Amino acid sequence: MTETFIELSEEVFDATYALVQNHLDPNASWADGEGSGCLFETYGEELDFVRKQDPRTIWTLLDGDDGDLYLASGYHIVNRIGYLISTVPVPCDVGIQVHIPMEKEEEADEANGDGHV
């Protein structure tokens, strides 16, 4: 069976997939407003918790080869930074990706007026 691939913006992801707070680490990152963040680690008790969830509610934060970050539906191991758990499952036979552009070092230098001429 072929999986349908969908790319969402960060805004659409945030509006569609509410996230579970990381109850195991009060200092977890990926916080939305006040309270602890939602990112779960890739080892130990946090990974054990992630692996017990419905696979369709697991999201993997990935380090892309292009220097950007990607949030991919499902449980992935390669290039993983951490995991998020949504309260809404991804539809069956659908793969979702969210591209999260990171400011490149050269862009940061130019924005700060440190670019070379």
Side-chain angles (χ1 to χ4, degrees):
M1 190 178 297
T2 306
E3 185 175 78
T4 301
F5 177 77
I6 300 171
E7 184 151 359
L8 298 179
S9 68
E10 288 180 73
E11 294 77 19
V12 171
F13 172 80
D14 290 341
T16 307
Y17 295 97
L19 298 175
V20 173
Q21 285 189 336
N22 182 339
H23 62 286
L24 301 169
D25 180 2
N27 298 314
S29 61
W30 202 284
D32 185 21
E34 294 188 28
S36 69
C38 299
L39 192 66
F40 289 85
E41 283 290 350
T42 60
Y43 57 87
E45 185 178 14
E46 293 181 42
L47 179 59
D48 291 341
F49 175 77
V50 168
R51 294 176 74 186
K52 291 177 183 172
Q53 304 310 302
D54 177 344
R56 295 187 311 138
T57 64
I58 299 172
W59 296 81
T60 307
L61 182 61
L62 301 165
D63 185 14
D65 293 335
D66 58 1
D68 289 343
L69 297 179
Y70 293 85
L71 190 56
S73 60
Y75 179 82
H76 304 276
I77 296 174
V78 176
N79 294 346
R80 67 186 177 172
I81 295 171
Y83 297 101
L84 298 169
I85 307 297
S86 64
T87 60
V88 176
V90 171
C92 291
D93 300 322
V94 173
I96 299 176
Q97 173 179 287
V98 181
H99 179 202
I100 305 169
M102 301 275 70
E103 187 173 296
K104 309 291 189 273
E105 189 173 318
E106 302 83 35
E107 293 170 352
D109 288 345
E110 289 175 15
N112 294 327
D114 296 337
H116 299 287
V117 179

